[in-house]
Amino acid sequence: MSRQMVRPGGRSARVQASVHTAVRELASEVGRDALTVPMIAQRAGVTPSTIYRRWGDLQELLSDVAVERLRPETTPGDHGALPSDLTAWAEQFLDEMSSPVGRAYIRDALLGDPDGGNAGQCSAYAAEQIDVILTRASERGEKGPDVETVIDHVVAPLMYRILFRPDGLDTAYARRLVTAVLDPTGR
């Protein structure tokens, strides 16, 4: 899928914003499964051909909206120490991604993603957040793992469980993953 770079304030950005808003409003009004491109176009004040030209099809549009909705809105909290920062982030990540809305966005992001770009963007969001936490810890003189290690040992198992084995998934599981990645020797 070829995503254009948009100029803030340009027509392209306005079209994207109005179409994204229309998708979110209509999904809450009629349900996601009832959405059609003509319905979205009418609400957004654009032609269906504008949507097809920019997004290709409904699934790619829903995927684009989902990726935008999965973007974290805030910087990870600073709780004064790496274990508490990473634990708080992992608990919030689990809470948001395992909610019915989060799971629907994950599915949409991946379904309309033939080239893997949306999955990569979602992964980049998590990596950026973890990098903030690890950089902050390093500046305080704390030693910690690198971003990829946290992705492999915290984010990957959480995502697997959210998508495939959600039963019994709770914040205690997220805390155990963080504890294990920060102290691999188990001391």
Side-chain angles (χ1 to χ4, degrees):
M1 172 170 41
S2 61
R3 260 195 212 85
Q4 308 159 313
M5 293 303 291
V6 295
R7 290 179 292 114
R11 180 180 182 282
S12 186
R14 287 194 303 275
V15 167
Q16 179 175 343
S18 64
V19 170
H20 278 221
T21 299
V23 168
R24 291 193 305 273
E25 289 174 354
L26 287 165
S28 69
E29 291 167 21
V30 303
R32 182 204 166 289
D33 293 339
L35 295 179
T36 66
V37 169
M39 179 192 300
I40 294 164
Q42 181 178 11
R43 174 68 63 95
V46 300
T47 63
S49 64
T50 297
I51 291 176
Y52 290 120
R53 190 168 47 253
R54 177 154 183 166
W55 285 280
D57 63 19
L58 179 61
Q59 190 59 66
E60 288 196 31
L61 170 58
L62 294 176
S63 186
D64 193 47
V65 170
V67 171
E68 190 59 34
R69 300 306 291 168
L70 289 169
R71 178 194 307 270
E73 294 178 6
T74 57
T75 303
D78 186 346
H79 304 278
L82 177 56
S84 47
D85 285 358
L86 196 54
T87 299
W89 180 85
E91 289 175 353
Q92 182 179 353
F93 180 85
L94 173 61
D95 188 49
E96 291 173 1
M97 295 297 176
S98 65
S99 71
V101 170
R103 289 165 52 93
Y105 282 140
I106 292 166
R107 281 193 300 275
D108 277 344
L110 299 177
L111 278 172
D113 188 26
D115 64 2
N118 289 346
Q121 186 57 61
C122 292
S123 176
Y125 293 154
E128 288 164 11
Q129 294 257 301
I130 293 163
D131 187 54
V132 167
I133 292 167
L134 297 177
T135 299
R136 195 185 290 147
S138 177
E139 289 167 355
R140 288 191 296 248
E142 295 176 88
K143 295 242 184 284
D146 63 16
V147 171
E148 290 304 314
T149 300
V150 176
I151 294 280
D152 289 346
H153 294 270
V154 178
V155 178
L158 284 175
M159 286 302 291
Y160 182 86
R161 293 290 300 265
I162 288 165
L163 292 173
F164 302 116
R165 298 190 66 178
D167 289 351
L169 187 55
D170 58 14
T171 54
Y173 177 69
R175 285 194 295 272
R176 285 194 306 274
L177 293 173
V178 170
T179 299
V181 79
L182 294 180
D183 185 9
T185 62
R187 280 177 278 143

